[in-house]
């Protein structure tokens, strides 16, 4: 389950930034994650509630924004929203020459604290 490593990374990064800004309690974390990461939002939430502990994250809410897989075909120029099972081929011309535009993100968009 790679969701635990994603949440662990998120908590460590937010904790570091919070402490640098004299924030001792985090109310909310917004995480943007692309569908290519194949992380299940429900699993991310479950792991988050387990790993957040009793310190600065004890009542923190995690907001997950999942981004679709979007690519442009370098052969025919068609922009496509792809699914995880068929993300390596242009649906229009069947070329495998795609440029990924979105869908592999792992970004801590922001956090709120005090």
């Amino acid at each position: 389950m790679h969701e635990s490593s994603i949440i662990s990374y998120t908590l460590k990064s937010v904790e570091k930034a919070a402490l640098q800004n004299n924030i001792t309690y985090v109310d909310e974390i917004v995480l943007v994650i692309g569908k290519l990461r194949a992380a299940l939002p429900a699993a991310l939430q479950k792991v988050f509630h387990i790993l957040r502990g009793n310190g600065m994250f004890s009542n923190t809410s995690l907001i997950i924004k999942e981004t679709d897989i979007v690519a442009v075909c370098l052969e025919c120029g068609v922009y496509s929203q792809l699914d995880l099972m068929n993300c390596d081929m242009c649906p229009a011309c069947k070329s495998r020459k795609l440029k990924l535009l979105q869908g592999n993100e792992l970004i801590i968009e922001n956090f709120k604290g005090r």
Side-chain angles (χ1 to χ4, degrees), residues 22-73:
N22 297 318
I23 294 171
T24 57
Y25 184 81
V26 176
D27 297 308
E28 177 182 282
I29 299 171
V30 179
L31 183 64
V32 179
I33 190 158
K35 288 185 178 179
L36 272 175
R37 296 283 175 164
L40 301 173
L44 288 167
Q45 289 288 356
K46 184 175 182 175
V47 171
F48 177 77
H49 287 285
I50 293 168
L51 295 182
R52 70 182 179 177
N54 293 322
M56 73 167 38
F57 301 112
S58 61
N59 288 311
T60 305
S61 60
L62 176 65
I63 297 171
I64 299 169
K65 295 180 179 180
E66 201 172 25
T67 60
D68 291 322
I69 304 165
V70 177
V72 61
C73 179

Side-chain angles (χ1 to χ4, degrees), residues 62-107:
L62 176 65
I63 297 171
I64 299 169
K65 295 180 179 180
E66 201 172 25
T67 60
D68 291 322
I69 304 165
V70 177
V72 61
C73 179
L74 300 176
E75 291 287 326
C76 70
V78 169
Y79 287 76
S80 300
Q81 182 175 322
L82 306 170
D83 63 46
L84 193 55
M85 301 305 284
N86 298 303
C87 62
D88 64 341
M89 185 184 306
C90 174
C93 73
K94 307 303 182 211
S95 170
R96 295 195 184 273
K97 294 181 181 178
L98 299 175
K99 179 180 179 185
L100 182 67
L101 302 175
Q102 159 185 313
N104 199 33
E105 298 84 358
L106 178 55
I107 302 165

Side-chain angles (χ1 to χ4, degrees), residues 9-19 26 28-29 56-57 108 110-111:
Y9 162 80
T10 300
L11 291 172
K12 287 176 186 174
S13 297
V14 170
E15 180 179 32
K16 182 178 178 183
L19 293 174
V26 176
E28 177 182 282
I29 299 171
M56 73 167 38
F57 301 112
I108 301 167
N110 65 58
F111 68 92

